[in-house]
């Protein structure tokens, strides 16, 4: 029996050596084919392969005489062989002649994203390479004569115009180019006489058209209740970012401002009470702050960035970086500006520094905190104050001291009248759903506090938070 077994192995191996074994390599796979072994004892074939000759770390078992080996790494070399075995795998032939297959490198498919696509000059844009495949190098053409070879490139457009951006991605498998025509639209700031010798035209709102013509922003104070209201812009925007944050206290019920239909001409907004309330809310006074999307340097040298985040993150946070780092942590204001999810929801912030911040949404506490994706607009403004082009303003933060009790915030700027006011928590020290309310408005100060909602329990005590604020008055 022993000698018979040896003769069987020898005859099996000898027959197997008659294989005709070939391979054809494609991107990520190898097609193999061989001649069948004519022996009634052959039950199956084993195809073995690996990255080194004679050292196989994977195998396939099959009864046919061809197979496509897939899932192979592009640009790599593989060694493949086949043998025949009986049903119990007691006897197997020697491996066949070895085939060497070079998997072709994947040619790149160029693609990229831009942090902003429109704004007032100087406009800083961060371009990020999103090319697929094997990429060894990239080259950018920003459309204004400037180029770069960085995978993440930051470029500033200083001249008004429309620019086509090109990205060329190169790898072992070739090259690919993505061209986005007329992608970047840059507008020129309007030259202003800084309010001197101006003659207010009929119908202007507190001198806005003359006083703030050169600024890439608009601000205004309106009354709004639980019905949708339309706010028309007094100037033309290309891609506006809208902030409405902080509500007066004419009606004591907790609520948020909801915004939708943001367009170059205006937007819609309403007061939305939390779901456990009756939904009817008395008129409240709010300030809206609108800025052209992008990064802007104001005439006094202060940097401001306006952008958006698309997210469904609720009771959690995601990181949003600025297009360029600020000199120090800016004050950030954030608003939900779509109405995809009908449940009341508010934007919350935390961990703001010079490079970026964390942002997320909060539904009322009793909800499951699952919300449809929304667009959240943000404006980040360096702490500063003064008068620029007829706008007397102050942007700053409180101490980490604002709670559910009234906090008196004194202004550092001397306003002639109670200013327009936007306020947003810069921290999330207290996890309960809440917003900023204000009252007692004077030219010198405002009283504000953090108001929680009561869907889950009656308590409204809130720990200390830092509140960022924007206060402004148009100078006639």
């Amino acid at each position: 029996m022993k000698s018979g077994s040896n003769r069987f192995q020898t005859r099996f191996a000898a027959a197997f050596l008659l294989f005709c074994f070939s391979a054809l390599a494609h991107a990520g796979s190898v097609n193999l084919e061989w001649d069948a072994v004519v022996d009634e004892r052959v039950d199956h074939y084993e195809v073995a392969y690996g990255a080194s000759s004679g050292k196989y770390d994977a195998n396939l078992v099959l009864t046919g005489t061809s197979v496509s080996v897939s899932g192979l790494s592009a640009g790599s070399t593989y060694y493949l062989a086949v043998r025949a075995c009986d049903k119990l795998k007691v006897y197997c032939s020697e491996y066949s002649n070895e085939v060497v297959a070079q998997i072709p490198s994947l040619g790149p498919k160029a693609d990229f994203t831009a942090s902003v696509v429109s704004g007032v000059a100087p406009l800083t844009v961060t371009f990020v390479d999103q090319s697929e495949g094997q990429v060894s190098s990239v080259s950018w053409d920003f459309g204004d004569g400037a180029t770069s070879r960085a995978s993440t490139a930051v470029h500033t457009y200083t001249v008004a115009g429309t620019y086509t951006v090109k990205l060329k991605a190169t790898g072992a498998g070739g090259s690919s180019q993505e061209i986005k025509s007329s992608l970047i639209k840059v507008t020129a700031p309007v030259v202003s006489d800084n309010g001197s010798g101006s003659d207010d035209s009929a119908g202007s709102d507190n001198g806005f058209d003359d006083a703030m013509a050169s600024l890439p922003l608009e601000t205004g104070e309106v009354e709004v209740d639980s019905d949708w209201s339309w706010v028309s812009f007094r100037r033309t925007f290309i891609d506006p970012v809208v902030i409405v944050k902080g509500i007066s206290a004419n009606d004591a019920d907790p609520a948020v401002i909801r915004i939708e239909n943001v367009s170059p001409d205006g937007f819609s907004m309403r007061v939305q009470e939390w779901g456990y309330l009756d939904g009817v809310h008395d008129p409240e006074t709010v300030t809206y702050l609108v800025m052209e999307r992008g990064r802007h340097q104001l005439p006094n040298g202060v940097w401001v960035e306006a952008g958006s985040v698309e997210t469904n993150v609720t009771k959690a946070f995601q990181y949003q970086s600025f297009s360029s780092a600020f000199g120090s942590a800016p004050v950030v204001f954030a608003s939900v500006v779509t109405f995809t999810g009908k449940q009341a929801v508010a934007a919350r912030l935390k961990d703001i520094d010079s490079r970026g911040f964390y942002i997320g949404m909060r539904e009322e506490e009793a909800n499951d905190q699952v919300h449809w994706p929304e667009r959240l607009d943000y404006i980040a403004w360096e702490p500063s104050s003064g008068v620029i082009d007829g706008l007397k303003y102050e942007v700053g933060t409180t101490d980490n001291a604002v709670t559910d009790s009234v906090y008196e915030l004194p202004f550092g700027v001397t306003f002639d009248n109670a200013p327009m006011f936007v306020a947003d928590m810069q921290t999330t020290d207290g996890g309960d759903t809440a917003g900023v309310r204000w009252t007692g408005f004077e030219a010198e100060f405002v009283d504000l506090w953090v108001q929680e909602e009561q869907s889950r329990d009656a308590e409204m005590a809130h720990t200390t938070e830092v509140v960022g604020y924007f206060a402004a008055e148009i100078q006639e």
Side-chain angles (χ1 to χ4, degrees):
M1 289 292 293
K2 185 175 182 181
S3 60
S5 298
N6 287 337
R7 286 196 302 274
F8 174 73
Q9 276 191 298
T10 302
R11 288 196 301 272
F12 211 0
F16 187 72
L17 290 176
L18 298 177
F19 280 6
C20 177
F21 188 49
S22 62
L24 180 62
H26 300 278
S29 66
V30 174
N31 293 334
L32 304 175
E33 186 175 358
W34 59 92
D35 289 340
V37 174
V38 182
D39 191 311
E40 64 183 9
R41 291 163 298 180
V42 173
D43 176 74
H44 63 268
Y45 300 96
E46 289 185 358
V47 175
Y49 57 97
S52 300
S53 178
K55 297 181 180 179
Y56 309 128
D57 52 18
N59 67 77
L60 300 172
V61 176
L62 61 154
T63 58
T65 57
S66 64
V67 69
S68 179
V69 182
S70 60
L72 305 179
S73 299
S76 299
T77 300
Y78 288 88
Y79 300 83
L80 306 99
V82 65
R83 67 180 182 177
C85 295
D86 68 353
K87 185 174 183 179
L88 298 178
K89 202 176 176 180
V90 174
Y91 300 110
C92 291
S93 71
E94 298 295 329
Y95 280 110
S96 70
N97 56 298
E98 193 173 65
V99 168
V100 181
Q102 176 67 49
I103 306 302
S105 297
L106 288 177
K109 181 180 179 182
D111 194 16
F112 64 91
T113 60
S115 59
V116 294
V117 295
S118 63
V120 178
L123 177 66
T124 299
V125 184
T126 300
F127 296 97
V128 179
D129 172 34
Q130 299 285 345
S131 301
E132 298 179 353
Q134 292 181 307
V135 179
S136 57
S137 65
V138 298
S139 60
W140 299 89
D141 181 344
F142 300 121
D144 61 351
T147 60
S148 175
R149 292 188 175 275
S151 58
T152 298
V154 179
H155 179 62
T156 300
Y157 293 89
T158 59
V159 179
T162 299
Y163 299 95
T164 294
V165 181
K166 303 175 184 178
L167 172 66
K168 183 179 181 180
T170 302
S175 63
S176 172
Q177 185 169 251
E178 174 69 5
I179 301 175
K180 297 189 178 184
S181 301
S182 304
L183 176 66
I184 306 298
K185 298 177 176 60
V186 183
T187 56
V190 179
V191 178
S192 170
D193 62 2
N194 294 319
S196 61
S198 63
D199 181 17
D200 289 351
S201 60
S204 65
D205 186 358
N206 293 326
F208 174 91
D209 296 325
D210 292 327
M212 295 179 59
S214 67
L215 298 181
L217 64 90
E218 177 179 319
T219 186
E221 186 177 273
V222 296
E223 281 196 347
V224 60
D225 57 21
S226 46
D227 293 326
W228 285 105
S229 298
W230 175 257
V231 177
S232 295
F233 296 141
R234 297 184 296 264
R235 57 165 294 164
T236 300
F237 288 93
I238 297 174
D239 189 5
V241 169
V242 176
I243 299 295
V244 184
K245 209 65 176 287
I247 313 174
S248 63
N250 299 328
D251 188 323
D253 285 346
V256 296
I257 295 294
R258 293 302 299 272
I259 300 169
E260 68 171 351
N261 301 325
V262 175
S263 74
D265 303 316
F267 63 97
S268 299
M269 70 171 168
R270 58 169 290 208
V271 178
Q272 184 179 18
E273 293 186 345
W274 298 104
Y276 66 93
L277 298 169
D278 64 11
V280 179
H281 202 92
D282 292 338
E284 301 284 3
T285 301
V286 296
T287 293
Y288 66 88
L289 180 60
V290 185
M291 178 163 282
E292 193 70 65
R293 184 180 304 277
R295 191 174 178 90
H296 313 280
Q297 189 171 34
L298 303 182
N300 61 351
V302 169
W303 284 101
V304 186
E305 180 170 317
S308 298
V309 179
E310 299 282 346
T311 186
N312 66 345
V313 172
T314 313
K315 205 170 177 57
F317 293 90
Q318 69 181 54
Y319 185 72
Q320 174 66 29
S321 61
F322 299 125
S323 61
S324 297
F326 288 86
S328 59
V331 180
V332 179
F333 309 96
S335 288
V336 180
V337 299
T338 51
F339 200 62
T340 308
K342 306 312 177 186
Q343 295 289 335
V345 70
R348 289 297 300 270
L349 304 164
K350 73 170 187 174
D351 297 341
I352 301 168
D353 62 24
S354 61
R355 295 165 296 180
F357 58 96
Y358 286 86
I359 187 169
M361 296 188 293
R362 292 290 184 276
E363 287 191 351
E364 62 184 50
E365 295 172 40
N367 284 7
D368 57 8
Q369 299 299 319
V370 176
H371 198 88
W372 287 98
E374 304 279 7
R375 170 180 146 183
L376 279 59
D377 280 3
Y378 70 86
I379 292 178
W381 194 312
E382 288 183 319
S384 54
S385 63
V387 180
I388 49 173
D389 289 6
L391 178 71
K392 182 186 286 188
Y393 81 97
E394 180 178 337
V395 172
T397 59
T398 68
D399 295 332
N400 190 5
V402 183
T403 68
D404 55 291
S405 298
V406 172
Y407 176 94
E408 183 177 297
L409 169 64
F411 298 124
V413 169
T414 302
F415 294 106
D416 296 327
N417 302 287
M420 295 175 285
F421 186 71
V422 176
D424 200 357
M425 282 180 279
Q426 306 295 283
T427 54
T428 305
D429 295 337
D432 288 350
T433 303
V436 177
R437 302 294 294 265
W438 55 260
T439 189
F441 224 145
E442 302 290 345
E444 299 82 13
F445 69 90
V446 63
D447 290 332
L448 53 85
W449 69 95
V450 176
Q451 183 185 42
E452 293 188 359
E453 52 82 31
Q454 298 174 292
S455 62
R456 188 176 61 185
D457 51 50
E459 69 84 19
M460 301 181 73
H462 199 91
T463 190
T464 57
E465 304 279 6
V466 177
V467 173
Y469 64 93
F470 165 87
E473 181 182 43
I474 302 295
Q475 301 293 288
E476 297 187 50

